[in-house]
Amino acid sequence: DIVTLGPSNAASEVFGMAPGVQAGYVDVGGAYHACLWRGTSQSFVDFNGPESGSRFLGTTGRIHVGDGAGPGVGVEHALVNLGRPDAWLDLHQFLPTVFSSFSRAYAVYQDGPTIFVVGEALNPQTNYEAILWSGPDLCYPNCDQSTAPPTLNVLDFICFLNQFAAG
């Protein structure tokens, strides 16, 4: 079988996939929009959010990575998205200052509460360098991101059920 994911009014590409989800981007009037599909063109979800010109290049199914030129940035930075259109993190900010401009994230892997992201960054002294970012999953397992003790409670379970139901 062949499924055209579309949308039909824009160029689109898929770069990553995990069980039940495809991650990529669509070109809307010359601007990239990071997006997800779940096997059909009707399941298309635009994740562009505040990151103008973003693309997904890899996914775990819930955590998505890629690049984008966010407001005020002007050049592509490696980005991670934590599963919601409003949950973006610019990974470039964690690089040493020698990496002055460009970075991109290609793949993501999760091992328990730790997220690993691989990509590249431009070092003007040496050219492109392979980069590995790692850090805690901000959504694991404290789904509602509460800070008052106890941080893990029934609200996290309800949050999980809502996120699961939303896909």
Side-chain angles (χ1 to χ4, degrees):
D1 290 344
I2 296 175
V3 175
T4 302
L5 295 174
S8 61
N9 63 344
S12 59
E13 292 190 58
V14 172
F15 284 100
M17 58 188 284
V21 65
Q22 300 81 43
Y25 73 95
V26 297
D27 184 338
V28 180
Y32 294 154
H33 286 235
C35 59
L36 297 177
W37 296 269
R38 296 194 181 278
T40 68
S41 60
Q42 296 81 14
S43 66
F44 167 79
V45 178
D46 188 338
F47 266 63
N48 210 47
E51 298 301 331
S52 173
S54 57
R55 303 183 302 169
F56 287 147
L57 302 175
T59 185
T60 65
R62 181 181 66 85
I63 301 167
H64 321 293
V65 297
D67 60 10
V73 175
V75 296
E76 291 179 5
H77 279 190
L79 300 173
V80 65
N81 177 278
L82 299 173
R84 298 187 323 264
D86 63 344
W88 291 91
L89 178 63
D90 184 344
L91 295 175
H92 193 92
Q93 67 182 319
F94 302 111
L95 292 172
T97 56
V98 69
F99 296 99
S100 57
S101 60
F102 172 88
S103 60
R104 178 175 287 150
Y106 289 107
V108 59
Y109 174 75
Q110 183 164 8
D111 187 6
T114 305
I115 300 170
F116 298 91
V117 177
V118 293
E120 65 181 347
L122 178 59
N123 179 338
Q125 299 168 0
T126 61
N127 210 341
Y128 291 97
E129 294 185 24
I131 302 293
L132 170 65
W133 290 271
S134 64
D137 182 350
L138 302 176
C139 298
Y140 181 93
N142 188 9
C143 180
D144 71 351
Q145 300 180 19
S146 59
T147 57
T151 57
L152 297 179
N153 53 48
V154 70
L155 296 176
D156 293 301
F157 182 67
I158 294 168
C159 175
F160 168 79
L161 290 177
N162 289 334
Q163 299 246 352
F164 183 80

